[in-house]
Amino acid sequence: MDQAKIRNFSIIAHIDHGKSTLADRILELTHTVSAREMRAQLLDSMDLERERGITIKAQAVRVFYTAKDGETYQLHLIDTPGHVDFTYEVSRSLAACEGALLVVDAAQGVEAQTVANTYLAVESGLELIPCLNKIDLPGAEPERVAAEVSDLIGESTEGILQISGKTGAGVPEVLEELIARVPPPHGDLEAPPRALIFDSEFDQYRGVIAYIRVVDGVFKKGEAIRAMATDTEADIDDIGVFSPQMMPTDQLAAGEVGYLITGLKDVTLLRVGDTLTTRTRTSGPGSRATTGAEATEALPGYREVKPMVFCGLFPIDSDDYPDLRDALEKLVLNDAALSWEPETSDALGFGFRCGFLGLLHMDIVRERLEREYDLELLATMPSVEFDVTLTNGDELEVHNPSDMPDPGTIEQIREPFIQASIIAPKEFVGAVMELCQERRGVHSGMHYLSPERVQMNYELPLAEIVLDFFDQLKSRTKGYASLDYELSGMKESDLVKLDVLLAGDAVDALSMVVHRDKAYEMGRTLTEKLRKRIPRQQYDVPIQAAIGAHVIARETVKAFRKDVIAGCYGGDITRKKKLLAKQKEGKKRMKQVGRVEVPQEAFLAVLELGEE
């Protein structure tokens, strides 16, 4: 296909603004999918995506469209996620495109992630085409929302398309605008081949499948290739495009988007963001020379993503530990934002400390591991990274609260802060401000997007929002508020490590790092919850919350009481005293050798702290 007739574009929007529904209409309009095969949210191929109604993985598809000028154009569409936790997925997709459709719900208007994704597209130098979706809804306010979009991107309201992804109204005009406004790719067909890996997945039969955007030259089936960053060498077993199923072709030329299979089984050899090029093979029996020269300059990849939330994942059955390691290795290929390292806990055994972009990302990864790899997992309480300066001048990075050094050796602790952007109707301004101040937020700005909608900016500690901030925000604003955030840096805070002691022994998996002002309240709540979850023993079990050696809260799980004097009818009181003293000695001995088992429900109690 001539490059002048190729258009590569992404669909970007806030969560639930109709990206996947619009993609369905484009597939129908271009007859890419037959009526029999068509279903709602066709590109959301994961069961988890369809159940939750959200896009988790960016999906690419090639369609052909005959425009009004009589020419047939090849469009590469990438449907992207809309949740703040998957922004990295969006940024990688935008690197494979020249244009983007900005979809805004005509009833809800500009949301926080709309603003964030718009800035991402502008920074990537993409041509933006704004669309108002869901204009068929009774509550749609196209004039108001068009004014908000116009204010955001600096374009007149006349240039904003009005469409309905559900009914298909206005979708042909969107495709015509794409062809007219999005520039075609400008790759050099004669140059040494170069392609950017913008995503990948693992197939147990075919190995690593790399999703590529060819920038220069031509890749052909059977050629020898090299990954420039990892210096991996392999042959192309199969090459093709998404239509939307994988469709093999003989070659992929500059400007095209597709997939490439090498048969590599080691998931670390082909990384997302790497540049592929062909290599000249040494002549030998059965080998053929590769056409073209080898590229010397790699394409700009992606910034290293920094995990923001950490939690431990432990298999409930310790025999599943090797399976969990294999599953994480394969999942990292499909989800480049996930990081992990081995960890050991006295209470939970062997597991992994995993880094995520947010709480939804953590939830999705855990559920994918359980479903796709048939594992039963227990997740510890999410925490963030802390920078610790010791009194001797040493610097430490702490990802796990149980690794926090002794309080006497700590000079200062710094925690990550975020710049949060919250958009809500004006009547909820008070509720949002109250919530942010409860979470140690500092107000940094506020402006009206329209007479009814306000954007508020707060600087907040990341540790205060990872647990239940988003749920609280939604409940206090009746679901109307939206949140977007980005890391703003590390700041010093008055933080302490809160330990939980069971019968005098610290349980490392229940440790947490909290602000000193909230330590007593958290310790009190945690001990009360654990008292209800820990089973009774033959002796009293004290549950204590402590900061260093100072106990700040205590509850006791009362012992089972066996009535040893039930068989004594009458007689001397000394006989009863003798039996009770014997029982007391037995319980004392049992307490010395006994060990309290912590049930899984106790760890879940920590996660429920924010619910009350």
Side-chain angles (χ1 to χ4, degrees):
M1 173 68 78
D2 178 12
Q3 279 194 82
K5 301 219 177 92
I6 295 176
R7 301 289 186 273
N8 299 320
F9 69 98
S10 280
I11 304 181
I12 56 174
H14 187 80
I15 193 167
D16 203 28
H17 277 211
K19 298 176 298 300
S20 299
T21 310
L22 175 58
D24 289 348
R25 295 295 80 74
I26 291 174
L27 293 176
E28 274 184 358
L29 186 66
T30 55
H31 308 292
T32 306
V33 180
S34 67
R36 189 180 65 181
E37 294 170 331
M38 194 63 206
R39 59 175 185 171
Q41 278 82 47
L42 185 79
L43 294 183
D44 290 345
S45 51
M46 246 188 274
D47 289 342
L48 206 53
E49 291 179 313
R50 304 186 68 78
E51 283 173 23
R52 294 187 177 224
I54 59 173
T55 303
I56 295 165
K57 287 296 298 169
Q59 295 290 337
V61 62
R62 182 188 73 169
V63 302
F64 289 98
Y65 176 67
T66 305
K68 289 178 181 173
D69 60 8
E71 298 285 348
T72 299
Y73 292 86
Q74 181 176 303
L75 308 178
H76 291 127
L77 145 69
I78 302 179
D79 178 27
T80 62
H83 195 279
V84 61
D85 282 10
F86 302 110
T87 303
Y88 186 60
E89 195 84 21
V90 179
S91 69
R92 296 207 320 265
S93 303
L94 294 179
C97 302
E98 282 81 34
L101 280 180
L102 176 66
V103 179
V104 181
D105 189 322
Q108 295 182 343
V110 170
E111 304 267 20
Q113 201 59 26
T114 313
V115 179
N117 285 338
T118 302
Y119 290 156
L120 270 181
V122 170
E123 284 167 17
S124 304
L126 270 57
E127 177 67 35
L128 264 182
I129 300 174
C131 309
L132 295 189
N133 193 18
K134 306 189 185 180
I135 56 164
D136 55 311
L137 288 180
E141 300 175 71
E143 290 80 15
R144 173 182 69 82
V145 178
E148 288 181 13
V149 175
S150 171
D151 189 43
L152 173 65
I153 62 173
E155 187 169 312
S156 70
T157 53
E158 286 76 31
I160 300 170
L161 302 170
Q162 297 193 11
I163 63 167
S164 169
K166 187 176 179 182
T167 64
V171 178
E173 286 76 12
V174 170
L175 295 178
E176 291 293 336
E177 279 286 302
L178 277 169
I179 289 162
R181 291 173 57 181
V182 174
H186 297 296
D188 186 350
L189 284 165
E190 304 304 320
R194 291 192 303 168
L196 181 70
I197 304 176
F198 69 89
D199 207 349
S200 56
E201 63 175 293
F202 185 82
D203 184 289
Q204 61 179 338
Y205 302 110
R206 308 178 81 182
V208 178
I209 301 172
Y211 294 19
I212 60 169
R213 157 69 197 271
V214 184
V215 177
D216 293 320
V218 179
F219 285 87
K220 295 177 182 173
K221 187 173 179 179
E223 281 187 333
I225 59 166
R226 182 171 73 88
M228 297 177 82
T230 56
D231 210 29
T232 303
E233 296 187 349
D235 294 343
I236 300 176
D237 290 350
D238 200 3
I239 195 167
V241 296
F242 300 99
S243 188
Q245 286 78 30
M246 289 183 182
M247 183 185 290
T249 57
D250 292 330
Q251 64 177 45
L252 282 178
E256 294 191 304
V257 175
Y259 68 88
L260 180 148
I261 301 174
T262 57
L264 290 169
K265 290 290 196 284
D266 185 348
V267 296
T268 61
L269 295 178
L270 276 185
R271 295 220 171 264
V272 168
D274 205 345
T275 302
L276 293 180
T277 183
T278 51
R279 63 188 169 92
T280 308
R281 248 194 291 230
T282 52
S283 57
S287 71
R288 60 183 189 275
T290 302
T291 55
E294 190 172 321
T296 54
E297 189 179 339
L299 296 161
Y302 307 105
R303 61 183 171 80
E304 268 296 308
V305 66
K306 193 173 172 62
M308 299 173 82
V309 177
F310 296 85
C311 95
L313 290 179
F314 294 86
I316 287 174
D317 183 352
S318 56
D319 293 343
D320 289 340
Y321 177 75
D323 297 336
L324 177 56
R325 177 188 287 277
D326 293 345
L328 281 167
E329 282 179 351
K330 289 170 185 170
L331 195 61
V332 163
L333 192 70
N334 195 238
D335 186 350
L338 172 66
S339 65
W340 55 276
E341 59 184 25
E343 159 177 68
T344 311
S345 162
D346 293 339
L348 300 173
F350 292 101
F352 295 93
R353 192 81 189 162
C354 301
F356 309 94
L357 295 182
L359 219 57
L360 178 68
H361 186 211
M362 180 186 109
D363 194 27
I364 294 293
V365 166
R366 188 178 60 80
E367 203 156 338
R368 284 186 71 184
L369 286 168
E370 289 183 342
R371 287 185 182 207
E372 295 173 25
Y373 301 97
D374 197 26
L375 295 165
E376 279 191 83
L377 301 175
L378 181 69
T380 61
M381 183 177 181
S383 67
V384 299
E385 178 187 305
F386 300 98
D387 286 351
V388 180
T389 303
L390 302 178
T391 47
N392 62 6
D394 289 351
E395 300 271 340
L396 291 178
E397 273 189 10
V398 177
H399 295 160
N400 189 343
S402 61
D403 295 337
M404 193 65 79
D406 185 82
T409 64
I410 296 174
E411 181 72 36
Q412 67 167 217
I413 304 176
R414 294 176 299 284
E415 63 175 332
F417 274 69
I418 55 137
Q419 196 62 46
S421 166
I422 301 167
I423 297 177
K426 64 179 183 183
E427 60 264 31
F428 298 116
V429 168
V432 172
M433 286 185 159
E434 185 184 5
L435 174 64
C436 292
Q437 279 159 8
E438 283 172 12
R439 302 304 172 95
R440 299 190 279 134
V442 177
H443 188 250
S444 59
M446 175 170 133
H447 76 274
Y448 279 77
L449 298 172
S450 71
E452 297 300 319
R453 292 165 67 74
V454 188
Q455 179 175 0
M456 286 164 277
N457 296 317
Y458 267 90
E459 192 174 42
L460 287 153
L462 180 61
E464 293 284 353
I465 74 160
V466 295
L467 208 56
D468 67 326
F469 181 83
F470 191 65
D471 294 342
Q472 285 287 331
L473 181 66
K474 284 290 183 187
S475 63
R476 293 192 192 195
T477 60
K478 300 182 181 175
Y480 284 110
S482 62
L483 167 74
D484 179 57
Y485 59 84
E486 59 182 33
L487 207 59
S488 63
M490 309 291 281
K491 286 191 174 182
E492 185 183 352
S493 295
D494 186 11
L495 302 172
V496 291
K497 177 187 171 191
L498 186 65
D499 283 316
V500 174
L501 308 175
L502 274 187
D505 296 327
V507 182
D508 56 356
L510 292 176
S511 298
M512 63 178 81
V513 176
V514 295
H515 194 269
R516 192 180 295 275
D517 293 346
K518 295 190 171 186
Y520 173 75
E521 180 191 333
M522 292 285 273
R524 178 87 266 156
T525 310
L526 188 53
T527 51
E528 284 173 5
K529 280 185 174 289
L530 287 172
R531 180 175 60 80
K532 296 172 188 170
R533 302 296 178 95
I534 289 182
R536 292 169 73 187
Q537 312 291 321
Q538 293 290 346
Y539 50 89
D540 285 358
V541 178
I543 304 167
Q544 297 165 307
I547 299 170
H550 177 54
V551 175
I552 58 169
R554 170 179 170 140
E555 292 284 336
T556 305
V557 179
K558 286 294 180 188
F560 285 121
R561 184 177 177 276
K562 185 179 178 187
D563 194 356
V564 288
I565 56 171
C568 297
Y569 293 101
D572 192 357
I573 189 70
T574 54
R575 187 177 165 209
K576 293 181 182 178
K577 284 185 176 177
K578 190 178 174 184
L579 280 171
L580 289 169
K582 188 178 176 185
Q583 183 189 42
K584 189 176 177 184
E585 281 297 315
K587 291 208 174 194
K588 188 177 175 184
R589 191 166 57 250
M590 192 187 293
K591 194 172 182 178
Q592 287 170 345
V593 297
R595 187 169 181 271
V596 182
E597 286 296 323
V598 186
Q600 288 165 22
E601 297 83 45
F603 297 102
L604 297 176
V606 185
L607 294 171
E608 292 168 8
L609 276 179
E611 288 183 10
E612 307 213 340

